[in-house]
Amino acid sequence: MPETQDPHVNPNASASAAVKFVYDFTEGNRDLKDLLGGKGANLAEMTNLGLPVPPGFTITTEACKVYLESGAEPAALRAEVSEHLDALERQMGKKLGQADDPLLVSVRSGAKFSMPGMMDTVLNIGLSDASVSGLATQAGDERFAWDSYRRLIQMFGKTVLGVDGELFEEALEDAKRAKGVVVDVDLDAADLQGLVGHFKDIVAKETGRDFPQDPREQMDLAVRAVFDSWNTDRAKLYRRQERIPGDLGTAVNVCSMVFGNLGPDSGTGVAFTRDPASGHQGVYGDYLQNAQGEDVVAGIRNTVPLADLEQIDKASYDQLMQIMETLETHYKDLCDIEFTIERGKLWMLQTRVGKRTAGAAFRIATQLVDQGLIDEAEALQRVTGGQLAQLMFPRFDLDAKSKTIGRGIAASPGAAVGKAVFDSYTAVKWSRSGEKVILIRRETNPDDLNGMIAAEGILTSRGGKTSHAAVVARGMGKTCVCGAEELEVDTKSRRMTTSDGTVVEEGDVVSIDGSTGKVYAGEVPVVPSPVVEYFEGNVDATAADADDLVKSVHRLMSYADSQRRLAVRTNADNAEDAARARRFGAQGIGLCRTEHMFLGERRELVERLILADTDADRDAALDQLRPLQKADFIELFEAMDGLPVTVRLLDPPLHEFLPDITDLSVRVALAEARHEKHENDLRLLQAVHKLHEQNPMLGLRGVRLGLVIPGLFAMQVRAIAEAAAERSKAGGDPRAEIMIPLVGTVQELEIVREESEKVIAEVAAAAGVQLDLALGTMIELPRAALTAGQIAESADFFSFGTNDLTQTVWGFSRDDVEASFFTAYLEKGIFGVSPFETIDKDGVGSLVRSAAAAGRATRPDLKLGVCGEHGGDPESVHFFHEVGLDYVSCSPFRIPVARLEAGRAAAESQGSDSR
Ligand code: ADP
Ligand code: MG
Ligand code: MG
């Protein structure tokens, strides 16, 4: 064994006596979540607030870590637990499992971050053959005692001893059937006593040992089982999904039992201090009479709405309402609560700041400001760009009556409608002929990529949030519902069958909701989100009758805008996108891709340019392209008048403008077979062969094109300059920035710059206007980042092309890897998230940081921006803020997200400065 001096990790070190592993509920508080877990910290907080919490103690996450690392509990733990157990027994006036009057406890998991349902809890620890009748006598209720005992054996058997839970369920069902009843409350004491016998037999048969009768042994085994539950597969998967670190460990709470199963004046429930779905204030929760904790959520009997508790037990209800108010005021946020009523006495068993929907998050944040509980800076931290993005998706019109035929995991939001297709080939074929399709598969794999791209949405019957379908769909921003298990997908006969027997054939219309996971038969009408209507300027958020969600969004956006330091620009290639982006708050264009202007009818001109044999031919082609480009730029400068527009010169490899090599070969071969001669096709084919590249991403593209195709960049620069001159003369305020892509060395940039400056000067002189056009470059190659200090000599600005920079830093091409091995990497935890989604701070990010610093060292006024998709990703925006860039640029729909997150980043760093 390796020697180590750290008392936290060496179970045998005598120094470990200095570490405290067990805290009484009275000793903790809510700031100790690292050590006591969320549940333990909040139990302590409630205890100290004077709320009725059953006494108990918490074993720390540190103890768990020692156990997980060494395989044994820290040596000091046993004695410390004994000490706290003694104290608890003295306080309660009875001993754990004492025969005539047993103290019973629950042993509950509770990590720093809530992992609902992922780990284990065992109730009624301390009951045994010896103490069950003592419990019955004390409670004056035979049935209750046997019910508690059977619950213990069931939970303990399953979670601690690893017995298949089904076996207990079946035995319980058998007992109910034998008695002719449907719910467990109709089993009497004798039935339950019989069931205990059965359960003990099951334990003995399945584990080869008897159910442990020693109360302390029960407790110790349960504690260990909770430690172990940190590392179950489902817990690991959940943590990866939620990006919770794997080494935190869980705390264990030992809490004296209170009983909701003592008859009709007892019960158990859950409550929220406001509606987690809408954020509205009111009474929200469920209550179940004569039941123990798990029964509420397990859905074995019908719960009643919490409001009904007022009729059932007014005193407890009133007390609960008061406690909820105390908690909200104390936590200054929505809280969720578990409680139990034992013979008319209310007990608090758990609270935490509750999860909520995106809409509720915005409403609650502003409500709390209005109540004076938090300020606006804090309110901004209570919402996220991800939530805002969710609110912007179009929604299904829920007033329309539509038939739900299934439900899966909401893997990628959106509302998609289309004809059902069951294979990618059909998806592509139908979508080419203008049909909207939903691709339905059991699971997707890399072969389905084309179909996924062609489809409006993707539906699978297998797989979870990290399945191939989910990961790829999220990457593409495509609606996806996965793991809809009740749907029987039969790809061979091209149909799917729902649980009620409805058959959906190929071509039938289905609708899927990626925000709720619901699947509908037929077409559900779609309505635009009110939040988008607001950003579009179609609704007035300050009007008295404005939707309260829109009001909340407006308030928080305004505050974010007042705080942020990063400007937000858009990626847009045409006037329409530019205008929308501007409505959404864009402060300019960060990336206009000129290649999109070369497609469609203009493709022919590009072909002519590529095929040109002589300077004259080439110039002729360029002369025809220039006015077209110029017209595009005039529109764009007009739409963004007064704001910067960064135009990137031609970037992609030329073969992208030529016909597909296979199609063309076939055409030429067929023509030859018919003894026809198509001179142009033959020349094209030659060109295609010549331009064919093994790795086009690393081939002849970007600035390299500009340097080898004479006149190409000059034509583009001239078009930009002429457009700017024309706008100026017309009284406009064009602010063009010319951006050279894929520069690896300053020499490339120098040549292009010199040529461009000449062209601009010519245009300015001819037009008689002054043209201040900025010339800068993208930083998207590692070499550019590494020599940024030199490159800045020739650049007025840098724009980090983080998509290509990610590809070139990692050495993989996005198109090839996302569909092939990313799922595996995500599952293995090599990536917490795709580096194309959130910037890889350690690798790509560190190049951005150093290049920004080197560039500014050369040229202090160097403007710095980002035009990769990361510009619209919340976490990445925070990083760019921190690195000190001037702006991010993203697609029009991400602009509000970037604005919000830039504001949050600024408010957050201000907060930490003043701390
Ligand atoms: P989870 O984290 O899965 O909610 P908990 O540890 O909160 O697990 O416990 C599961 C259920 O048992 C909850 O409903 C809880 O309120 C209930 N419970 C836990 N401890 C006690 C106790 N000491 N007395 C009564 N009910 C309890
Ligand atoms: Mg709980
Ligand atoms: Mg690029």
Side-chain angles (χ1 to χ4, degrees), residues 39 106 108 121 123 255-258 293-294 338 340 349-350:
K39 200 180 286 172
S106 60
R108 318 170 63 185
T121 280
L123 305 181
C255 181
S256 46
M257 284 301 301
V258 291
E294 325 257 51
E338 289 174 4
T340 280
L349 288 170
Q350 188 171 334

Side-chain angles (χ1 to χ4, degrees), residues 39 54-55 104-110 115-124 155 253-260 268-270 292-297 338-340 349-350 352:
K39 200 180 286 172
L104 304 186
V105 296
S106 60
V107 173
R108 318 170 63 185
S109 58
M115 298 169 53
M118 290 300 129
M119 291 183 299
D120 295 332
T121 280
V122 184
L123 305 181
N124 305 333
M155 261 188 262
N253 303 289
V254 176
C255 181
S256 46
M257 284 301 301
V258 291
F259 299 100
T268 180
V270 292
Q292 220 170 34
E294 325 257 51
D295 298 352
V296 183
V297 275
E338 289 174 4
F339 67 93
T340 280
L349 288 170
Q350 188 171 334
R352 70 186 153 211

